[in-house]
Amino acid sequence: MDSQTIAAYDADAASYADEWEQEQDAPTDLYALLSEHFTPGPTADVGCGSGRDSAWLSMHGFPTTGFDASQGLLAQARRRHPEVNFECRLLPGLDEVMNASFTNVLCETVIMHLPDAEVGPSVARMLSLLIPTGTLFLSWRVTQGSDRRDDAGRLYVAFDGSAVMTALAGAEVLLDEEVVSASSGKVVHRVIARVSGTV
């Protein structure tokens, strides 16, 4: 995980959490896809931020553990959503998180903050968290050209999407699309994949 990005989130965690929690347009398109493709059962929200999506999942039949690399964001998540369990874990390792322990994994606009070499291993690691027939929802903000950092220092990597698809080899891809995010106005790539029914 990129340390400068984590530091940026830690430095202004309350403002980021306020922004996500108070978005005028709730991510209804995201929630519709999760409702359609996720199966009720234990769910991981990797890169949970303020815990908004973890809380929604938990309230809709998907009891969720939120994981994030930023202690500042985790403090905000625990304060705002005390009914949800949150833990500090970093991609690509997600150390101490057991394989085949979740029915669903959500990773919403996170992997673009990873160094290029960590994208594929992170996707493969998230797949390993799933039980047979489990489902991964993965999205990232698309950066064209070269890597860049925003004014806060957050990294946005212009990685080749083939790294994601290579890591998903053997899984069934249910959705592969690029859309314009209603909240940010940025292009976001979404992939939904289901692992094989056999171990």
Side-chain angles (χ1 to χ4, degrees), residues 62-191:
F62 312 104
T64 297
T65 300
F67 299 105
D68 207 279
S70 165
Q71 291 284 10
L73 289 177
L74 287 168
Q76 293 293 321
R78 291 175 180 129
R79 182 176 68 80
R80 295 163 190 262
H81 305 287
E83 73 284 3
V84 179
N85 179 49
F86 296 102
E87 300 178 12
C88 186
R89 298 288 184 272
L90 279 67
L91 287 168
L94 295 175
D95 294 346
E96 301 179 10
V97 182
M98 291 180 58
N99 287 351
S101 55
F102 293 100
T103 304
N104 313 289
V105 173
L106 169 66
C107 185
E108 169 76 350
T109 57
V110 174
I111 63 172
M112 72 278 181
H113 290 321
L114 297 169
D116 195 3
E118 293 184 358
V119 171
S122 294
V123 175
R125 176 66 176 118
M126 287 187 280
L127 270 187
S128 78
L129 302 182
L130 290 165
I131 63 170
T133 72
T135 304
L136 169 66
F137 183 105
L138 178 68
S139 73
W140 63 94
R141 198 166 108 181
V142 176
T143 299
Q144 300 290 351
S146 57
D147 300 351
R148 69 175 191 85
R149 291 187 184 272
D150 65 9
D151 292 342
R154 294 180 297 174
L155 176 66
Y156 289 86
V157 174
F159 64 87
D160 186 340
S162 65
V164 172
M165 303 315 292
T166 298
L168 293 174
E172 179 187 5
V173 176
L174 306 175
L175 178 75
D176 182 7
E177 67 176 9
E178 287 193 357
V179 297
V180 176
S181 168
S183 58
S184 71
K186 304 294 185 181
V187 176
V188 173
H189 198 120
R190 292 172 168 172
V191 174

Side-chain angles (χ1 to χ4, degrees), residues 34-43 57 60-63 102-104 131:
L34 298 179
S35 297
E36 178 182 356
H37 293 285
F38 276 11
T39 302
T43 299
L57 286 161
H60 290 82
F62 312 104
F102 293 100
T103 304
N104 313 289
I131 63 170

